[in-house]
Amino acid sequence: MLNLAPYAANPEHSLGRKVPEAPPEHRSEYQRDRDRIVHCTGFRRLEYKTQVFVNHEGDLFRTRLTHSIEVAQIGRAIARALNLNEDLTEAIALAHDIGHTPFGHAGQDALNSCMSEYGGFEHNFQSLRVLDILEEKYAEFEGLNLTYETREGILKHCSRQNAKTIGILGERFIKQQQPGLEAQLANLADEIAYNNHDIDDGLRAGFIDTTQLLQVNLYRMQHDKVMKLYPELSERRQIHEVIRRMINHLVSDLIETSQKNLANSGVKTIKEVRHSPIPLIGFSSEMQKLSLELKQFLRNNLYSHYRVYRMSNKAKNIVTRLFETFISDPGLLPVEHFQKSKKMESENGIKGRARAVADYIAGMTDRYAIAEHSRLFDPGQLT
Ligand code: MG
């Protein structure tokens, strides 16, 4: 890797894997993590999971898979500009949404409330659970046996209660410390990606329009530039030109602000990054304000649009009904999941049973959840 900064994650000084393995021959440790992620089942399922829109709305919208690829692209560009580790950033970005339930936030909220008496459900924690335990592929270990740094990056948030159950990985949530810089930047690359593609998808779906968007400063600034340069441009190309410039604006601000933060902090090692009282990768305060305005716009106009709300309500009903049915009678689960639920129940009582049901539901794609719901409740459907 060229020009790795001294405070970047260096694969040769990784804190290692849970089960020690011989180093890879022709790849770095983080390249190996990324490759394992790309080949896992949870990664392929991202194609049929959505964040805001549902898959059957059309083929033009982002899915969690295309979202994760966009996050990786933005993340790698920032990592390279800051001399941070691109491979690690890419691994984190590609896996960051792997524990998400079907139907985006509506599905997550529904499953969390179903699980309230059984330890709750956090999608970040579930991502780690998928990668550490639920992917059963390798002969010598459970899960993908990823490096500490990749796992640290994936666990963006974590409750204190869950943090206590995962050893040193959970300590930073208890001590309120920072993760490595690649984790910090993957988190912000995620934010840049979804704010911008939600505008694009929202416009395509007709849930918001360009006139409304002119209220948003971040959008209007780039819109005015594009209109001045290309007054005759068709609307479709105009939107793309504005959005690509917005992404560029955000990325440039993030790179320049982070360069200043890193220089001012004087950090020299990843250990010092982790002990820094504040995150070092970030936007300027002006950009934070602009970004907040955009988020509020999306919240008020897109995420609360009645059609999104209807779909969220439908999603909540499907997830809740599946959960209630399976927890009251695990015999209705497919054999493999029924076996798991029996085993987990023998170890941890009703909480174990509930966790097995939550794992099964969280792993579903949007369309699988809809199909499973009809198989259970529609008398005309084959079971
Ligand atoms: Mg994301």
Side-chain angles (χ1 to χ4, degrees):
M1 172 119 358
L2 295 167
N3 294 327
L4 207 55
Y7 39 69
N10 185 330
E12 286 168 21
H13 304 132
S14 166
L15 295 181
R17 301 173 189 276
K18 272 193 187 165
V19 178
E21 293 181 60
E25 276 181 58
H26 303 292
R27 298 174 289 177
S28 76
E29 296 286 0
Y30 304 137
Q31 280 179 289
R32 174 148 76 179
D33 280 1
R34 184 223 28 227
D35 298 347
R36 284 184 183 174
I37 290 161
V38 168
H39 288 271
C40 82
T41 313
F43 184 71
R44 288 194 293 281
R45 286 183 180 157
L46 294 173
E47 185 174 1
Y48 300 104
K49 292 191 181 194
T50 45
Q51 307 208 119
V52 180
F53 301 95
V54 269
N55 236 295
H56 58 257
E57 286 266 0
D59 294 340
L60 297 172
F61 302 107
R62 266 73 172 185
T63 65
R64 285 204 185 269
L65 179 65
T66 58
H67 161 68
S68 302
I69 294 170
E70 290 184 23
V71 177
Q73 179 275 317
I74 293 170
R76 280 203 332 264
I78 300 168
R80 189 177 295 191
L82 294 173
N83 297 329
L84 298 176
N85 198 304
E86 267 184 78
D87 296 329
L88 174 60
T89 308
E90 186 180 18
I92 297 168
L94 291 177
H96 83 282
D97 270 353
I98 228 160
H100 266 282
T101 61
F103 314 120
H105 297 292
Q108 131 90 23
D109 292 346
L111 195 52
N112 190 27
S113 67
C114 292
M115 286 293 287
S116 62
E117 289 166 41
Y118 315 108
F121 179 88
E122 297 172 34
H123 63 82
N124 258 207
F125 196 70
Q126 188 71 8
S127 296
L128 195 68
R129 188 169 160 77
V130 169
L131 299 166
D132 279 356
I133 303 169
L134 300 178
E135 285 282 335
E136 295 172 328
K137 305 179 96 73
Y138 295 88
E140 296 187 355
F141 42 79
E142 274 193 317
L144 306 185
N145 198 35
L146 301 176
T147 61
Y148 177 88
E149 293 75 24
T150 302
R151 295 170 65 240
E152 174 191 49
I154 285 157
L155 197 61
K156 214 163 37 176
H157 315 286
C158 183
S159 62
R160 287 175 77 88
Q161 180 199 348
N162 280 336
K164 286 180 198 153
T165 66
I166 49 172
I168 57 164
L169 198 67
E171 278 179 16
R172 86 171 142 99
F173 299 99
I174 297 161
K175 296 183 182 162
Q176 306 205 324
Q177 290 173 341
Q178 314 304 324
L181 296 169
E182 289 78 1
Q184 295 180 27
L185 92 79
N187 185 15
L188 293 173
D190 181 25
E191 204 179 300
I192 295 175
Y194 69 68
N195 282 330
N196 285 284
H197 66 48
D198 285 353
I199 296 178
D200 191 35
D201 284 353
L203 287 168
R204 273 175 203 276
F207 294 177
I208 52 176
D209 62 43
T210 45
T211 319
Q212 278 175 300
L213 271 163
L214 293 176
Q215 307 159 24
V216 181
N217 282 304
L218 209 50
Y219 188 92
R220 209 197 52 248
M221 280 151 73
Q222 304 306 327
H223 172 268
D224 291 352
K225 282 187 206 163
V226 171
M227 290 315 284
K228 208 170 163 196
L229 285 167
Y230 311 104
E232 305 296 324
L233 206 60
S234 72
E235 190 174 56
R236 189 68 254 150
R237 291 170 77 169
Q238 187 198 109
I239 292 166
H240 183 75
E241 278 295 331
V242 173
I243 292 175
R244 81 177 182 98
R245 282 155 201 263
M246 282 173 68
I247 295 176
N248 202 31
H249 186 195
L250 284 152
V251 166
S252 301
D253 182 273
L254 186 71
I255 292 170
E256 285 155 25
T257 310
S258 305
Q259 275 165 340
K260 282 185 212 147
N261 294 348
L262 286 161
N264 293 341
S265 72
V267 293
K268 287 183 189 65
T269 62
I270 188 168
K271 201 171 170 192
E272 288 173 7
V273 167
R274 290 187 174 122
H275 286 91
S276 158
I278 46 161
L280 297 168
I281 304 293
F283 296 110
S284 62
S285 53
E286 177 61 13
M287 188 56 94
Q288 283 176 29
K289 273 186 228 142
L290 290 169
S291 189
L292 189 66
E293 185 196 30
L294 169 61
K295 280 187 199 177
Q296 277 162 349
F297 172 86
L298 289 171
R299 205 175 311 132
N300 297 338
N301 297 280
L302 179 61
Y303 308 142
S304 55
H305 188 280
Y306 83 96
R307 292 207 28 221
V308 175
Y309 187 56
R310 274 187 189 182
M311 194 56 221
S312 300
N313 187 52
K314 217 186 281 190
K316 193 170 84 184
N317 290 337
I318 293 176
V319 167
T320 308
R321 224 164 153 202
L322 289 175
F323 184 87
E324 283 168 358
T325 306
F326 290 130
I327 195 154
S328 56
D329 188 354
L332 293 166
L333 287 162
V335 178
E336 183 199 339
H337 292 276
F338 181 42
Q339 299 302 346
K340 276 192 187 169
S341 89
K342 278 201 288 194
K343 183 167 174 279
M344 288 163 74
E345 188 167 346
S346 73
E347 292 160 0
N348 203 15
I350 187 70
K351 278 190 174 179
R353 182 198 286 194
R355 187 60 59 194
V357 171
D359 284 341
Y360 177 49
I361 295 175
M364 293 178 184
T365 60
D366 297 9
R367 60 185 193 169
Y368 184 93
I370 294 167
E372 187 70 334
H373 185 266
S374 358
R375 284 191 289 265
L376 282 168
F377 302 111
D378 177 354
Q381 276 274 322
L382 293 175
T383 54

